[in-house]
Amino acid sequence: MRGTEILESTMHMDEIHRLTESSEKLMDEILDLMANIDEPEDSMRQVWLTAPRGTIQEYINGDHRYDDITTEEKFLRAYPDDPIWIPLSGLRYRGTKYLRINVLSIRIDARERDNLREFDYDCDELFLWAKNALIGVLEEIRKGTYNDYVRRALPYTLRNGTIKRSIYWEVHPEDMKNWLEGLTKEEIAEFVDTAQKYKNEPAHVIKGMTFHKYMDMAIACYKRIGYDIYDDYVKTFFCYAEDYGSRVLENDVDYESEQNFDDFFDDKCGNMGGHPWGIIRGSSRTRIMLYPERKHGGYYFRLGGNPNWNVKDLVRSFFALRDLGVPFLLSNPTETIRYLKNEDLIGVVSSLHTPIYCQLLFPNKNVNDFRNLDLEEDQQLLDKIDWEPIEEVRLKQ
């Protein structure tokens, strides 16, 4: 099989849970071969396989292709590497067989098979190619040539590394502009100068807390950010905040009642929902939280958000709460300051990974922001990236 065929045939299927008899036999043969790799029995084994890219004409004549790739230029832009590198990983564990070729996952559990509403996939051609390529790789490992070849030839787009944000943003100022979303140099300087003062619990608390007071805090943040503000403070709040479990605050709570706020905090009334206390709606990456903490018969608040995804709203909410005199602490002042001073690291991750939640690729570094590499735009960054070491593959003795 050509490399382009393998890539595209593995990109257009979800996880497979049933195989034809012949395909499952080939899967077992692949896993038997991979068992020769020296890893603990419950660990995934992985190697790199390669296949010739092929020509544009072979691509056009093939079964697996994108209709918009019609010229040599587009073909080479989409598939710059020759040969094409394909990761293969596999594992048997507690009655389950797992195989992954490129981004296609095959998970077979005999205990589930009869209950699955799924037909048997025929992967004979793909698995036969993988088996034969794996036999070749195992021979290269025995000869002692495989690891050196991978270290030397693996494309940069399939490697992981880190780069200082200051260097990355020098090359990509438009990226900095997009992520800061209009946050000014003056705002950044002021935040950096004052944020560390809000890393500990405040000395005073608010007694007699109500949801009206809480919504007023949130609306002060919206004003500072630049959101539209309505005459009705409840409408404004629900326009931007989390829904508190199907808008329970709108239906079941007296906004002026101190007892209702206490009871809601203690989970005695209403349904707190999946993300209570989110003053700015979003995913787990973009959401801004203003969470109450009770102390000495009153409340202070914890402001939290991910600077890598929503630094503008986080910084401006900080200013609004500070100017309003709200007792609060900032959940992650050091991380936010390092982000704004361009002192943190950006993780450059393999194109096999979506650049989100890749922290486990950098176990010994504090990395929370990720990018894929674009060789056309990032050539000047290659020697400035601190590339992660490529693990050696060894065979059992």
Side-chain angles (χ1 to χ4, degrees):
M1 293 182 74
R2 297 184 307 279
T4 55
E5 277 187 289
I6 297 162
L7 286 186
E8 296 197 3
S9 66
T10 56
M11 284 178 169
H12 298 295
M13 288 188 283
D14 296 327
E15 186 174 84
I16 291 175
H17 301 99
R18 292 175 60 127
L19 292 168
T20 62
E21 184 176 348
S22 59
S23 290
E24 189 163 352
K25 181 175 182 295
L26 283 168
M27 179 179 178
D28 285 329
E29 292 173 0
I30 292 170
L31 292 175
D32 288 342
L33 288 168
M34 297 196 78
N36 290 294
I37 296 172
D38 187 18
E39 290 287 348
E41 290 304 313
D42 59 349
S43 296
M44 189 74 72
R45 293 160 169 80
Q46 177 173 318
V47 294
W48 288 100
L49 310 179
T50 58
R53 176 177 57 198
T55 67
I56 176 62
Q57 197 56 51
E58 289 173 324
Y59 179 83
I60 290 173
N61 294 337
D63 295 330
H64 303 286
R65 63 188 181 90
Y66 290 107
D67 292 337
D68 60 339
I69 298 180
T70 56
T71 66
E72 181 86 8
E73 180 184 3
K74 290 181 178 179
F75 178 69
L76 295 178
R77 187 181 302 123
Y79 301 102
D81 301 319
D82 190 12
I84 286 176
W85 292 68
I86 312 290
L88 173 73
S89 54
L91 170 70
R92 284 193 181 98
Y93 185 65
R94 294 184 177 179
T96 299
K97 298 181 289 191
Y98 182 85
L99 189 66
R100 187 176 177 90
I101 303 176
N102 192 35
V103 294
L104 171 64
S105 297
I106 304 98
R107 185 179 66 82
I108 306 296
D109 187 336
R111 297 166 296 183
E112 299 177 354
R113 182 184 181 95
D114 294 336
N115 298 322
L116 295 173
R117 294 183 178 180
E118 186 175 313
F119 62 83
D120 295 339
Y121 284 88
D122 182 348
C123 296
D124 284 8
E125 184 181 16
L126 177 64
F127 286 1
L128 184 60
W129 168 82
K131 174 188 170 182
N132 290 330
L134 176 59
I135 290 171
V137 162
L138 293 176
E139 181 60 27
E140 290 172 11
I141 298 172
R142 288 190 187 94
K143 292 178 180 177
T145 59
Y146 169 82
N147 290 299
D148 287 341
Y149 175 63
V150 172
R151 278 192 292 266
R152 182 180 71 255
L154 183 68
Y156 286 111
T157 52
L158 295 174
R159 302 181 186 225
N160 302 318
T162 55
I163 187 169
K164 292 180 180 179
R165 184 178 299 279
S166 57
I167 297 174
Y168 187 87
W169 274 357
E170 280 178 9
V171 175
H172 292 292
E174 76 290 347
D175 188 83
M176 178 176 68
K177 181 179 179 181
N178 289 338
W179 287 102
L180 292 182
E181 294 184 287
L183 205 59
T184 67
K185 292 181 180 179
E186 291 75 18
E187 287 175 309
I188 292 172
E190 184 180 2
F191 181 87
V192 168
D193 186 55
T194 58
Q196 284 288 11
K197 300 173 185 176
Y198 287 80
K199 67 180 180 180
N200 299 315
E201 292 182 7
H204 74 288
V205 295
I206 297 177
K207 296 190 176 181
M209 188 64 197
T210 68
F211 277 109
H212 191 158
K213 293 178 182 178
Y214 182 85
M215 291 178 180
D216 283 345
M217 294 177 193
I219 291 169
C221 296
Y222 305 153
K223 289 179 179 178
R224 184 67 182 249
I225 293 167
Y227 291 170
D228 291 334
I229 305 298
Y230 304 98
D231 292 337
D232 184 339
Y233 72 97
V234 176
K235 177 181 178 181
T236 300
F237 179 80
F238 279 112
C239 185
Y240 305 112
E242 291 284 355
D243 64 5
Y244 287 87
S246 301
R247 299 169 74 91
V248 66
L249 290 188
E250 189 174 53
N251 300 316
D252 301 337
V253 173
D254 179 354
Y255 303 140
E256 311 299 334
S257 168
E258 298 173 13
Q259 187 64 52
N260 266 201
F261 189 92
D262 292 341
D263 288 346
F264 191 87
F265 179 83
D266 292 329
D267 203 18
K268 293 179 179 178
C269 75
N271 173 8
M272 295 185 78
H275 300 105
W277 314 112
I279 60 170
I280 296 177
R281 188 181 301 120
S283 70
S284 57
R285 299 181 300 278
T286 61
R287 186 180 303 114
I288 302 296
M289 306 291 292
L290 185 62
Y291 196 94
E293 300 280 4
R294 192 155 51 199
K295 172 184 173 183
H296 303 318
Y299 293 90
Y300 68 93
F301 295 84
R302 187 184 300 272
L303 176 66
N306 187 335
N308 298 287
W309 289 89
N310 197 358
V311 71
K312 179 200 71 175
D313 289 359
L314 178 60
V315 168
R316 291 183 178 170
S317 295
F318 170 88
F319 288 143
L321 296 174
R322 180 201 62 183
D323 294 347
L324 200 61
V326 174
F328 76 98
L329 64 83
L330 184 62
S331 295
N332 52 351
T334 302
E335 179 186 354
T336 308
I337 288 171
R338 283 176 54 79
Y339 179 94
L340 290 169
K341 293 178 70 175
N342 304 339
E343 293 177 347
D344 61 336
L345 296 175
I346 290 177
V348 177
V349 299
S350 163
S351 59
L352 297 169
H353 298 286
T354 301
I356 300 172
Y357 302 132
C358 295
Q359 285 86 345
L360 292 179
L361 297 176
F362 309 97
N364 300 317
K365 299 178 180 179
N366 183 20
V367 187
N368 294 297
D369 196 11
F370 309 97
R371 304 285 191 281
N372 291 135
L373 198 66
D374 185 326
L375 284 183
E376 290 188 6
E377 299 180 356
D378 294 328
Q379 279 293 324
Q380 58 187 305
L381 292 178
L382 296 182
D383 62 351
K384 298 173 182 175
I385 294 171
D386 181 15
W387 297 104
E388 294 292 296
I390 297 173
E391 292 187 14
E392 287 203 352
V393 180
R394 301 184 182 278
L395 300 183
K396 293 179 179 176
Q397 299 298 317

